[in-house]
Amino acid sequence: MWVSRFCFINPTKIGPEYTQQSQYIGQAFIERNQPNTLFLSPYNTGDHWMLVVVNPTTEIVYYLDSLGVNIGQRQQLRRMFDNAIKIYRANKGTRVSKVKFSNIKWTMIKCPTQDNGSDCGYYVLRYMKEILLCSQEGVIPHEYFSTYKLEKYSIY
């Protein structure tokens, strides 16, 4: 069944007001533990929604932000997901070199962007729908999905 390739991380458990986000996410990775599963993780900074999608097997984190904010400006978010992958590694007993230990691959996806300050939630829902429909082998193309590669979405 194609849906089994995906898991959903509850955004109410990983918001900035919680202290155990990495443990919650890492535990979800451990419990699922299937190759090429994508974990869809909507995240709200308090005033903006974005989507983080993780393939813990390959240690690739996909970042989709409808405002186009670079992940370098979201250090708390990056640290949370990096730590979750490290928890997953430790549980699997995976040994990595010191160089690889903090070298988790983050990919900023060139996804459609919003032109106002209120459509971010809609964009995150669209991203999740399109990932469910188009993702192959636990991968999201850097240039997004050609079928849905629009500069903007129309919500009307």
Side-chain angles (χ1 to χ4, degrees):
M1 181 177 201
W2 68 275
V3 174
S4 66
R5 296 181 311 181
F6 304 96
C7 287
F8 182 76
I9 299 292
N10 183 344
T12 65
K13 302 284 188 181
I14 62 170
E17 66 276 6
Y18 294 97
T19 58
Q20 303 297 316
Q21 304 107 321
S22 294
Q23 291 83 351
Y24 172 78
I25 299 164
Q27 190 60 40
F29 295 166
I30 292 164
E31 288 173 8
R32 181 65 182 166
N33 198 22
Q34 295 288 323
N36 295 319
T37 296
L38 290 179
F39 286 80
L40 306 174
S41 308
Y43 182 79
N44 190 299
T45 62
D47 61 359
H48 177 62
W49 284 99
M50 62 201 70
L51 182 63
V52 177
V53 182
V54 182
N55 183 333
T57 307
T58 60
E59 297 187 2
I60 297 175
V61 182
Y62 302 97
Y63 171 72
L64 297 90
D65 187 340
S66 60
L67 291 178
V69 175
N70 189 292
I71 189 59
Q73 297 175 15
R74 307 260 192 225
Q75 289 305 310
Q76 178 187 2
L77 179 70
R78 187 174 185 139
R79 202 169 22 261
M80 176 179 29
F81 281 92
D82 283 357
N83 287 338
I85 290 174
K86 290 172 186 175
I87 290 167
Y88 175 71
R89 275 184 196 157
N91 182 269
K92 284 180 29 183
T94 303
R95 293 180 162 225
V96 294
S97 68
K98 288 183 181 181
V99 172
K100 172 82 171 141
F101 185 74
S102 60
N103 195 20
I104 294 164
K105 183 178 179 185
W106 279 75
T107 301
M108 185 167 177
I109 303 299
K110 293 182 181 177
C111 53
T113 57
Q114 69 187 78
D115 57 3
N116 62 34
S118 59
D119 289 344
C120 55
Y122 174 78
Y123 275 70
V124 166
L125 292 172
R126 284 288 302 261
Y127 299 154
M128 289 192 297
K129 174 188 170 193
E130 292 160 5
I131 290 166
L132 288 171
L133 292 173
C134 300
S135 177
Q136 301 284 325
E137 304 295 320
V139 173
I140 301 171
H142 176 69
E143 296 287 334
Y144 206 55
F145 304 108
S146 59
T147 312
Y148 294 101
K149 191 175 178 181
L150 304 170
E151 188 173 318
K152 308 275 183 221
Y153 290 131
S154 172
I155 61 171
Y156 303 104

